[in-house]
Amino acid sequence: ALFAPLGETVSGRAVAMDGDSLRVDGVEIRLIGIDAPELAQLCERAGEPWRCGREAKARLADSVARRTLTCRVEGRDRYRRRLARCRA
């Protein structure tokens, strides 16, 4: 499934790469409809900096932990990453 064509599905265990990207069965997927902070991005909360990018990744990782996902590839972004909608 390394070179999943558009319109195809990719299924398997998922690993969060950042807050809006996963690796499913060896295929890098950018989730459609989610725009999370960049992994190294710092945000501000109550006047203090916090690692919002790392927290976004941790939240996505928790969401997909121990679950099998099925992702339908619907297109590519400007960086040629696969864009997909995924279901557990």
Side-chain angles (χ1 to χ4, degrees):
L2 193 57
F3 300 103
L6 302 182
E8 293 297 312
T9 58
V10 179
S11 294
R13 294 292 177 132
V15 175
M17 299 174 60
D18 58 26
D20 52 18
S21 300
L22 301 167
R23 181 168 286 116
V24 179
D25 192 31
V27 177
E28 187 175 330
I29 301 288
R30 178 135 165 42
L31 298 170
I32 293 174
I34 295 178
D35 186 18
E38 298 301 317
L39 187 58
Q41 186 172 335
L42 292 176
C43 297
E44 188 175 303
R45 180 168 51 193
E48 297 293 322
W50 63 287
R51 297 178 184 271
C52 55
R54 288 186 186 266
E55 185 168 326
K57 178 184 177 180
R59 298 277 177 128
L60 182 59
D62 287 346
S63 296
V64 301
R66 299 172 300 281
R67 302 175 95 181
T68 299
L69 298 188
T70 299
C71 302
R72 182 161 180 81
V73 179
E74 297 184 10
R76 291 185 183 258
D77 66 8
R78 63 183 173 175
Y79 303 109
R80 306 290 302 145
R81 295 177 294 194
R82 289 166 184 80
L83 299 171
R85 297 183 195 278
C86 300
R87 295 184 185 270

